[in-house]
Amino acid sequence: MSNLLNKNPGSATALDIFHNHLNGSILVEVGKMKSLEFLTSGSNNISGPIPTTLGDLTKLKVLHLYSNQLSGPVPSELGNLKNLTDLALSGNQLSGSIPTVGRDLTELKSLYLHSNQLVGPSPNELGNLKNLNDLALSHNQLSGSIPTFVDDLTELKNLYLHFNQLAGPVPSDLTELKSLYLHSNQLSGLIPSELGNLEKLTDLALSDNQLSGLIPIVDVVLSYHELEGPILDNKAFTNASLEGNKGLCGNLTGFQPCERPSSHLIGKRRKLILIILLPVMGVLVLLCAFLGVLFMCDKRRRAKDVERWNDDSWLSISMLYGKALYRDILNATEEFDATF
């Protein structure tokens, strides 16, 4: 790269060095390549920060620095690249917050910042990216709620926000989306019924959140929540992932058929009765067993007392009659007098 810069740094329009074994840092001299429109150096071992001099490449349309070992913040100077249509910085070790570059990169169609160490909320300035088709911010440490600017991105087709720390509700006004990945966050509340009207939506992943309630009619990945209620017999659920929700029922394979409302109520009443009666009956059985044991012990004790009384009485009577006989003998012999 250094030889190319030394020869004629201002004439090249494309620098394509992706998928090699390049290491070291990005040379600040790259900023001197004023005619550069395509810079792709992804899938290498390039480390260090992104040089701020890249902001001088005002003709740049494509900037790919993905799958390297870049660190530090995303330089705000990238906001000077007003002709940029494709920015890919994913698969690095970039940190800090997402810069407010969206207010200037109005031509941007793809923004890939996933698989980094970015924190904080997404800046509202990204709502100025009116031409954005793909927004990938997954596998970071982003917090806050799902950014409200998503509703303003009318050209947005694919939104990837999974594996973050996002909280709050799922947005409802996402009419143009084809793919929506929100799984592995901390989202809560109900799933908007408006999602069932998204005719263009083909992939929806909401698993591993804290969602509750009923689900709309849409092909979804909604495994391991607390969802309940019937699943309508709709072809949209043919490839749905709904495992781990104990309260769901329906005519689809793998689900128990839904009961009629009357039998459902009867079943609930029976279940309530059993919940109440079983502990009571258990207590009564234990009480009867305890009383039976006490009765048997008392019976045995009484039997032993009677037996002991009989033995003592015989001894007392024997002793009583023995004393009387001895007394008679003494009187008859005048107390064993020798002259008698």
Side-chain angles (χ1 to χ4, degrees), residues 225-257:
H225 284 293
E226 298 178 1
L227 302 176
E228 60 182 10
I231 302 174
L232 301 182
D233 189 8
N234 188 286
K235 62 180 181 180
F237 285 98
T238 303
N239 298 318
S241 177
L242 299 170
E243 68 272 12
N245 292 287
K246 299 180 180 180
L248 295 179
C249 62
N251 297 325
L252 299 180
T253 304
F255 290 93
Q256 295 292 333

Side-chain angles (χ1 to χ4, degrees), residues 176-246:
E176 298 297 323
L177 280 182
K178 293 182 179 180
S179 300
L180 176 60
Y181 288 81
L182 301 176
H183 58 280
S184 302
N185 278 286
Q186 301 174 16
L187 302 175
S188 59
L190 302 177
I191 302 173
S193 59
E194 290 82 357
L195 293 183
N197 301 324
L198 301 182
E199 298 179 355
K200 298 180 180 180
L201 190 66
T202 58
D203 297 298
L204 174 60
L206 301 176
S207 60
D208 294 324
N209 280 288
Q210 302 173 16
L211 303 173
S212 60
L214 301 175
I215 62 175
I217 303 177
V218 62
D219 189 4
V220 292
V221 179
L222 293 172
S223 55
Y224 299 101
H225 284 293
E226 298 178 1
L227 302 176
E228 60 182 10
I231 302 174
L232 301 182
D233 189 8
N234 188 286
K235 62 180 181 180
F237 285 98
T238 303
N239 298 318
S241 177
L242 299 170
E243 68 272 12
N245 292 287
K246 299 180 180 180

Side-chain angles (χ1 to χ4, degrees), residues 130-177:
K130 303 300 182 181
N131 295 311
L132 196 65
N133 292 326
D134 301 311
L135 178 59
L137 303 177
S138 62
H139 291 272
N140 280 290
Q141 302 174 28
L142 301 179
S143 58
S145 58
I146 295 179
T148 57
F149 65 74
V150 173
D151 298 342
D152 300 327
L153 302 178
T154 56
E155 298 297 323
L156 190 63
K157 301 297 186 298
N158 303 298
L159 178 60
Y160 306 98
L161 297 174
H162 51 288
F163 283 100
N164 277 290
Q165 300 174 13
L166 300 175
V170 176
S172 58
D173 190 9
L174 303 170
T175 55
E176 298 297 323
L177 280 182

